[in-house]
Amino acid sequence: MFGLLQTAVAAGMAFAGLASACAAGETGTTCVTSGGSWLYIIQPAEGSSYAAGGPLYLQWDLCPGSNGIDTAFSESDIYFELLDDSNPSNAPAISGGNITFTQAVHPSDGQATGTIPASVPAGTNYGIRSDYHEASDDKWIYCFGNKFTITAATNGGNTATVATAAAAVTSATKTGGAAKTKFAAIIVAVAAALFTL
């Protein structure tokens, strides 16, 4: 019986992985391209911590629309920038918060490691946003990630002096945070139900 239960739990976890973040349906109102594709940002994880001036690991799912993957989107350049996520309903970009990469990043890459600007002040209310300019509709597509912490930059063990972040540069409505939490709760509930079998 225990072996059957282990198999059921493993199958449930595999299903959760296969379902991926795309199945959560959390597109938000600003994240879908005209071709129907969108990004679901997985990393940085909720509550994780990174240092200013250090690497930032990003991971995302490229989610298809009803007609599959939007190829114009999947091979285009995307950019990432830091947000002030203290108000999840309106998370503006911070001044000087562009993540830098050593090479161009595309939605089809699924992951990238960039660098957080060293000038970003320490704080616990940072978010991340992908930026894509859709030429066909001349509009920006924004997909939002999780809230995380940035610690002060260090240089040889000495804490760097960082200026307070400037006011918002760009404002965009952030939607879907509750959907991520609900999706995670559903996965936990399914796993718990499997343990009661």
Side-chain angles (χ1 to χ4, degrees), residues 18 53 91 105 134 187 190:
L18 285 176
V105 177
E134 186 166 48
I187 296 303
V190 168

Side-chain angles (χ1 to χ4, degrees), residues 49-56 82 115-123 126 148-155 160-162:
S49 182
Y50 295 87
L56 176 66
L82 297 171
T115 302
I116 299 170
S119 61
V120 172
Y126 283 99
F148 60 97
T149 296
I150 295 179
T151 58
T154 58
N155 184 5
T161 303
V162 290

Side-chain angles (χ1 to χ4, degrees), residues 26 88 174-185:
E26 183 185 337
K174 179 180 178 184
T175 60
K180 282 186 183 176
T181 304
K182 288 178 187 172
F183 181 68

Side-chain angles (χ1 to χ4, degrees), residues 45-176:
E46 185 79 26
S48 59
S49 182
Y50 295 87
L56 176 66
Y57 175 70
L58 295 150
Q59 181 184 16
W60 59 88
D61 280 341
L62 172 57
C63 303
S66 58
N67 295 323
I69 296 292
D70 177 353
T71 55
F73 173 57
S74 70
E75 297 305 319
S76 295
D77 291 350
I78 56 170
Y79 310 93
F80 289 89
E81 59 186 323
L82 297 171
L83 308 175
D84 174 354
D85 206 5
S86 29
N87 176 359
S89 296
N90 183 23
I94 66 164
S95 178
N98 292 331
I99 304 300
T100 57
F101 300 92
T102 57
Q103 61 187 26
V105 177
H106 311 99
S108 58
D109 296 341
Q111 63 183 355
T113 299
T115 302
I116 299 170
S119 61
V120 172
T124 58
N125 292 315
Y126 283 99
I128 193 81
R129 174 177 86 184
S130 67
D131 301 346
Y132 161 67
H133 185 256
E134 186 166 48
S136 63
D137 289 343
D138 193 28
K139 68 178 182 180
W140 284 93
I141 306 294
Y142 302 118
C143 298
F144 298 89
N146 298 304
K147 185 184 283 190
F148 60 97
T149 296
I150 295 179
T151 58
T154 58
N155 184 5
N158 299 318
T159 302
T161 303
V162 290
T164 303
V169 175
T170 307
S171 181
T173 302
K174 179 180 178 184
T175 60

